[in-house]
Amino acid sequence: MLQEPVAFEGVTFEIEESKVPGDYALKLKKNNQSVYVISKYKPKDNLTKLINLEKCNKKTMFIFIGYGMGYLAQHITNVIGKKTQIIVLEPSQQLLDAQLAITPATPNIVFFSGTNFNVLRNEIRGLINPLNIKDISVVMHPHYDEFYTEYLKDALSLISDIKRGIQIDINTVKKMDQNYIKNCVANLMHINKSRDFAYHKDRYKDIPAVIVSAGPSLDKNLEYLKDWNGLIFCAGRTIVSVRSIGKDADFAGLIDYKKVINQTFMGHNDVPLIALLDAGNTIIEEYRGDLYFVEHTPIAREMAGINLPKVNIGGSVATLCLDAAHYMGCNPIVFIGQDLSYSGNQSYSETCNIHENRERIAQRLENKKGIRPIPAYNGGEVLTSNTLLVYLRWIEHYIQSCDRTVEFINATEGGAKIAGTIQMPFKDVVEKYKHITKPQIEHNLLLQEPIDLRWKLEECIKRLKRTSTLCREAADVSSRLSYQYANFNPGRSPKMINQLRTRMKALNKKISSAKIDTMVGYMFSNSAIDIMTDDTYKRQLDKKEYADSAGIAQGHENIYKALDESIYKVIDVINTQLEKETSENKTEPVT
């Protein structure tokens, strides 16, 4: 025996020499049960049967449950290549250290052990993305699920939550398509009258702020808001809730890109509004209150050379309000109506004047499709949807990433438990902080002098057209590369391939320097994601080198064509907006 048994949550282990010289066996023990995770007989051969590499490609990312003496990692690295991404979850640090002492890790392996799942979440979030989400293979070493049942339940649930969030992002991109650039261009026409949100950065140090969300628990404590003297942030649909008790919101948030969002404001379009530049233009067009534009991508800088404050958002308007309050220096930041779940078969507070079919909600909860239990504010469990769970996890991660001096209070008094928050009845929160009064809020213009938007957008079109020309040449070069690989001639192809690859490198550099990624992003992603995730255009294990390269070059050709098509869609959107401005006899030039 090479390693003394070490306990981890009741599990001990032993590492011993196997029947194969130089190889080792691993045994786990718990409650008088003893099982070999790695067999004493041909340990490496038995482990390679856990996965069928024929279904993998050279972009596949592997998540191992257990290191398994590194044998399976070595096998996969040898077959696929040294750049293969492997994440290893080994519950016990002692067990991991014992294995690494025998089989050192290679640079392509990332390890996680212990119970700090925030570290695991950050690690996996940095590795999983829309382009590889279909190429993830989770491999469970034998018997780990029997010995680390609860641990693995939490770890695998975390991985599923991250993948679910990415899938929601993909679906959002598909739905937004041209809406993103249409809203950005239309809203940009209001930039000269917009206000400067950067002016508010850290201006409200230690001023309490409450975020009023529309969850059903808002009915419990809205009345106490009457005595609140700090800042009030609202979603569009809770402006009416706040006004129903004689108060007014200091800021409302807007992130939704759809036209129907107009209905949620119910005509209350005079509260200072913090809006994403790509938010629904139907609201912006008719808004009477002070407008603050912010962005989560540098679209205003790409289109018009304007720098707007960058915000972090997690899919719901409450996340925009949260980031805005933090940006402004507010402390504490308080949540009410932030149920993030179904409380009493409701989705919304009755104060929002939304008619809900509670029978339909009850049927959905009973059906349990897309529904799961999570820890509740008041103990026990509450039911939530996959989408609401993504919002919850985002908020928890945001809180965890903030400075510890900022206090977050969940005063919802119902719904989901939000990790990282202090739970306190809103009545007590109001009593504790009512002596602090917010200062006078000033709404200063973003631009001291109006800019010529027509000229800015016409220059933007010229840049897009120049990039389009580069994309067409890149598509042609990719096509010629694909031909050379598919019809490889040892005498002339190597020289031709080298010349084409050199030209492609130069074209890629010019396309990257054009700074149009954000403008074309959503439409291009819609077209390109199917190409980029298609196995036809990835390096396959069962293809010869030149056939493999031919497929990849063909994929690149299709990607450049998709980019060119997206560029012209953006140009069309800009031209349409400029024509609209002219036909409506708006100021010439557009200012």
Side-chain angles (χ1 to χ4, degrees), residues 385-500:
S385 67
N386 288 335
T387 301
L388 291 175
L389 182 62
V390 169
Y391 299 160
L392 171 63
R393 296 294 182 241
W394 189 95
I395 291 171
E396 291 176 334
H397 179 69
Y398 183 93
I399 291 171
Q400 185 264 331
S401 68
C402 287
D403 191 298
R404 298 301 180 197
T405 60
V406 181
E407 196 171 81
F408 298 89
I409 301 174
N410 185 5
T412 297
E413 300 180 62
K417 181 180 179 66
I418 303 175
T421 62
I422 298 168
Q423 292 192 175
M424 187 185 302
F426 188 50
K427 180 181 179 181
D428 295 347
V429 176
V430 173
E431 183 65 28
K432 182 176 180 179
Y433 293 102
K434 68 180 182 181
H435 65 285
I436 303 176
T437 302
K438 66 193 173 195
Q440 183 72 29
I441 300 174
E442 298 180 23
H443 302 288
N444 299 322
L445 282 171
L446 172 66
L447 304 172
Q448 298 305 308
E449 295 291 335
I451 62 172
D452 186 340
L453 284 168
R454 178 175 292 280
W455 181 82
K456 292 275 189 183
L457 292 176
E458 287 174 347
E459 288 298 304
C460 181
I461 289 174
K462 291 177 183 177
R463 181 156 43 96
L464 286 165
K465 286 183 176 180
R466 289 195 296 270
T467 310
S468 169
T469 301
L470 295 172
C471 288
R472 292 179 185 184
E473 184 181 352
D476 178 64
V477 172
S478 297
S479 175
R480 290 158 63 192
L481 263 173
S482 180
Y483 177 83
Q484 289 297 327
Y485 283 126
N487 301 276
F488 190 80
N489 183 305
R492 64 172 181 270
S493 290
K495 181 179 179 180
M496 182 64 70
I497 288 171
N498 186 52
Q499 290 174 346
L500 291 170

Side-chain angles (χ1 to χ4, degrees), residues 173-292:
V173 167
K174 289 181 178 179
K175 289 177 182 177
M176 288 190 74
D177 196 45
Q178 291 194 36
N179 288 311
Y180 173 79
I181 192 65
K182 284 180 178 178
N183 283 334
C184 286
V185 175
N187 290 338
L188 196 61
M189 296 302 167
H190 300 272
I191 202 76
N192 282 318
K193 69 176 183 181
S194 69
R195 306 294 164 168
D196 182 13
F197 191 62
Y199 170 80
H200 297 292
K201 182 170 175 58
D202 294 328
R203 195 166 286 270
Y204 304 87
K205 283 285 188 182
D206 297 326
I207 300 296
V210 62
I211 298 168
V212 184
S213 297
S217 293
L218 182 62
D219 298 338
K220 299 177 183 179
N221 49 30
L222 180 63
E223 278 292 315
Y224 300 116
L225 195 63
K226 288 180 179 179
D227 297 321
W228 180 257
N229 296 317
L231 289 168
I232 300 175
F233 292 81
C234 280
R237 66 175 82 250
T238 54
I239 296 174
V240 66
S241 303
V242 173
R243 285 182 166 171
S244 71
I245 59 165
K247 295 284 282 189
D248 235 334
D250 297 295
F251 295 96
L254 177 65
I255 68 170
D256 205 306
Y257 63 91
K258 298 187 290 290
K259 291 181 179 180
V260 293
I261 193 64
N262 208 359
Q263 301 169 12
T264 67
F265 280 74
M266 302 180 202
H268 296 272
N269 60 356
D270 56 346
V271 174
L273 183 69
I274 305 168
L276 292 181
L277 191 63
D278 57 282
N281 177 249
T282 53
I283 284 281
I284 304 299
E285 198 69 36
E286 300 175 2
Y287 211 78
R288 294 183 289 112
D290 291 302
L291 276 172
Y292 289 90

Side-chain angles (χ1 to χ4, degrees), residues 156-175:
L156 294 174
S157 176
L158 182 149
I159 294 169
S160 296
D161 288 346
I162 292 172
K163 291 174 68 176
R164 190 178 296 112
I166 292 172
Q167 191 58 56
I168 288 174
D169 290 343
I170 292 171
N171 294 339
T172 300
V173 167
K174 289 181 178 179
K175 289 177 182 177

Side-chain angles (χ1 to χ4, degrees), residues 223 302 312 376:
E223 278 292 315
E302 281 191 9
N312 296 306

Side-chain angles (χ1 to χ4, degrees), residues 1-7 12-17 24-29 69 92-102:
M1 186 184 299
L2 301 179
Q3 177 69 34
E4 291 299 319
V6 180
T12 60
F13 66 88
E14 294 178 7
I15 297 175
E16 58 188 70
E17 293 180 351
Y24 295 87
L26 171 62
K27 182 191 294 183
L28 295 181
K29 295 181 178 182
M69 301 303 300
S92 167
Q93 183 66 50
Q94 292 93 336
L95 174 54
L96 177 60
D97 290 341
Q99 294 175 87
L100 288 173
I102 297 170

